[in-house]
Amino acid sequence: MPSSHLLAKGHKYFFHKDSIILRMKKIEFFRHCIDDRDIDRAATILRSIFLTTGRAVQDFEQKFAAYTGQAHAIGLTSCTAALHLSLIALNIGAGDEVITTPMSFCATSNAVLHAGAVPVFVDVERETGNLNAELLDAAITERTRAIIPVHLYGQMCDMVKIRTIADKHHLHIIEDAAHAIEASRDGVKVGQLSDTACFSFYATKNITSGEGGALTTGNAMLAEEVRMLRQHGIDRGAADRYTLRYEHWDMPLLGWKYNMDNIQAALLVGQLERIETLLRKREELWRAYEKSIEGMSDVDVLRTAEGARHARHLFTVLVPPQKRDSLLWALQNRGIGVAVNYRPIHLLKYYRDNFRFKEGDFPIAEEIGSRTISLPLYPYLTYEELSYVVQVLKEELNR
């Protein structure tokens, strides 16, 4: 059959060496859950006069604070912005050290560098991939000012233990909860045992506005400072300056341009209302994955800790390191979207060159980083698609 006829039918080609593998439909790594109601809300904003930070952002902030159980939520441009402003508002900067994990996206430690401080890595737990609280004491020095635990893939770190250690050494805690809006552990929700919690609404997150983030806190003074810092450090936002009688503004602080806009908020508020329904669907798919790969040779999965409510953001499998990259490519060649979350931060070129990190510094993070593959997981994934992913994984492992 001529290729033109195939293309006319809407087929897609996936190339593997000299052969062509044909599939009717690509299984994307991620598909968002923005629906027509969300689009209608955003369209209402676009048809209005005011697009930047205003009432829609305030509405989302109030609902997000209520969902997370925090007194204050501040809408921002990214989780990175939330991490950065948390450090600035807590007066952490030049000469200070911040302990975090190498098993995360580089934004976590980059935010520390942007604040002028130095990231200090500790290794992770083998069973969960999360920051190993047992290693914190040994990493704390007289320059340590804060700990940034990362709730990897949607599972909270042991915040009770981390809070105890932080209190003993008089340290701040900033939670990187980019993966973990819905998570809790030991009866504690994200943000309840920290100074701030930082969230992401990036394109592949459980709720998304394409880009975007938020910071939550129980500290009213810190929240007010972050609200100013997100808009250059000025004391009145655009909504305050232009929707009522004009009032002159001042700039008490040197800030950044990190404010969420009304369009992003309009996309998010409906997803937040559906967040528990979306989580239940991902939970069902997660269980189906676990059951399907149970007993499969050369495949391991990380463990969900007892007493943890997992946000089910990323489903990852661990495969032999010598097979990982070839498996990635084989899955892609057969129409399956995949990712690696993550290669450990300390082995990235910038960190190697500037901090002299080397292989062997954090062996468990390195092991996970060399073995991990993230598979498609989102509420619109069908069980037929999931079965195909597992089938291909099994076939390629046995090749």
Side-chain angles (χ1 to χ4, degrees):
M1 182 180 293
S3 60
S4 59
H5 181 77
L6 291 173
L7 291 172
K9 293 287 188 181
H11 296 278
K12 293 184 178 180
Y13 283 116
F14 299 95
F15 294 93
H16 179 60
K17 294 185 179 178
D18 296 326
S19 65
I20 297 177
I21 299 170
L22 184 65
R23 276 189 50 77
M24 292 291 292
K25 183 178 179 182
K26 178 175 172 62
I27 301 175
E28 303 288 352
F29 175 66
F30 184 79
R31 295 202 295 268
H32 64 71
C33 292
I34 292 171
D35 67 15
D36 288 341
R37 292 166 295 174
D38 304 322
I39 294 170
D40 288 343
R41 285 191 186 94
T44 298
I45 297 296
L46 290 168
R47 292 187 182 101
S48 72
I49 296 298
F50 205 85
L51 302 183
T52 187
T53 310
R55 290 182 182 176
V57 173
Q58 293 169 8
D59 181 41
F60 172 72
E61 289 174 338
Q62 290 169 2
K63 291 177 178 178
F64 194 72
Y67 180 79
T68 57
Q70 292 295 291
H72 308 279
I74 300 98
L76 300 166
T77 53
S78 66
C79 185
T80 310
L83 291 165
H84 184 201
L85 294 189
S86 295
L87 292 158
I88 299 301
L90 292 169
N91 297 311
I92 297 171
D96 297 330
E97 294 178 350
V98 177
I99 296 174
T100 190
T101 167
M103 183 43 56
S104 179
F105 185 54
C106 59
T108 307
S109 52
N110 286 356
V112 177
L113 295 175
H114 291 321
V118 176
V120 174
F121 296 122
V122 300
D123 213 346
V124 299
E125 299 170 338
R126 186 178 299 277
E127 291 188 328
T128 68
N130 273 336
L131 183 72
N132 190 337
E134 300 294 338
L135 303 177
L136 287 174
D137 275 310
I140 293 169
T141 72
E142 61 183 14
R143 295 181 297 279
T144 307
R145 294 287 310 284
I147 303 168
I148 302 181
V150 177
H151 305 318
L152 189 68
Y153 307 147
Q155 177 168 212
M156 281 181 69
C157 299
D158 189 341
M159 289 304 300
V160 173
K161 188 174 292 184
I162 292 171
R163 181 73 265 173
T164 299
I165 295 168
D167 287 344
K168 181 172 67 173
H169 296 279
H170 309 290
L171 303 177
H172 295 295
I173 300 177
I174 300 165
E175 293 178 70
D176 184 334
H179 296 179
I181 298 171
E182 310 93 327
S184 64
R185 183 170 175 176
D186 301 321
V188 175
K189 295 181 74 173
V190 172
Q192 290 185 331
L193 294 181
S194 59
D195 295 88
T196 68
C198 304
F199 301 88
S200 173
F201 309 125
Y202 177 67
T204 59
K205 294 301 187 288
N206 293 356
I207 64 173
T208 178
S209 51
E211 298 285 353
L215 178 153
T216 63
T217 183
N219 185 321
M221 291 182 63
L222 189 148
E224 183 60 27
E225 183 170 346
V226 170
R227 290 187 193 281
M228 286 193 287
L229 287 171
R230 73 174 173 176
Q231 296 191 107
H232 300 292
I234 67 176
D235 56 6
R236 285 178 175 82
D240 300 320
R241 302 197 306 272
Y242 298 115
T243 57
L244 301 173
R245 187 181 71 172
Y246 185 86
E247 294 186 18
H248 293 293
W249 53 268
D250 204 348
M251 193 186 99
L253 304 169
L254 178 61
W256 289 262
K257 184 62 173 168
Y258 282 161
N259 54 302
M260 175 182 284
D261 63 48
N262 279 352
I263 305 164
Q264 292 170 313
L267 287 170
L268 288 165
V269 69
Q271 293 174 79
L272 184 60
E273 293 169 358
R274 305 191 300 275
I275 195 168
E276 291 295 315
T277 301
L278 299 174
L279 174 59
R280 283 194 293 273
K281 181 59 178 174
R282 292 197 310 278
E283 178 75 37
E284 292 170 5
L285 292 164
W286 188 288
R287 298 302 180 196
Y289 262 132
E290 287 187 324
K291 184 175 181 180
S292 297
I293 66 176
E294 189 175 5
M296 191 184 299
S297 60
D298 284 344
V299 177
D300 295 314
V301 295
L302 298 176
R303 181 180 65 87
T304 300
E306 186 176 350
R309 186 194 197 218
H310 202 300
R312 307 304 186 196
H313 173 54
L314 290 171
F315 186 83
T316 63
V317 292
L318 301 177
V319 300
Q322 68 274 17
K323 296 183 179 181
R324 196 271 302 277
D325 287 356
S326 60
L327 277 169
L328 276 172
W329 299 326
L331 290 166
Q332 286 184 313
N333 287 337
R334 295 183 66 176
I336 298 168
V338 289
V340 173
N341 304 98
Y342 299 95
R343 294 169 55 212
I345 297 170
H346 70 284
L347 295 184
L348 300 178
K349 185 178 188 321
Y350 181 90
Y351 285 88
R352 283 177 178 263
D353 290 350
N354 287 275
F355 296 96
R356 298 294 182 260
F357 289 122
K358 61 186 185 305
E359 290 186 13
D361 285 343
F362 306 103
I364 298 176
E366 291 169 27
E367 178 191 345
I368 293 172
S370 68
R371 297 181 62 196
T372 190
I373 298 177
S374 298
L375 301 178
L377 179 71
Y378 40 87
Y380 292 150
L381 185 72
T382 68
Y383 289 104
E384 180 184 8
E385 290 172 328
L386 186 150
S387 296
Y388 177 73
V389 171
V390 174
Q391 174 193 335
V392 171
L393 178 66
K394 185 180 297 185
E395 289 173 0
E396 296 298 336
L397 272 168
N398 293 332
R399 234 178 245 286

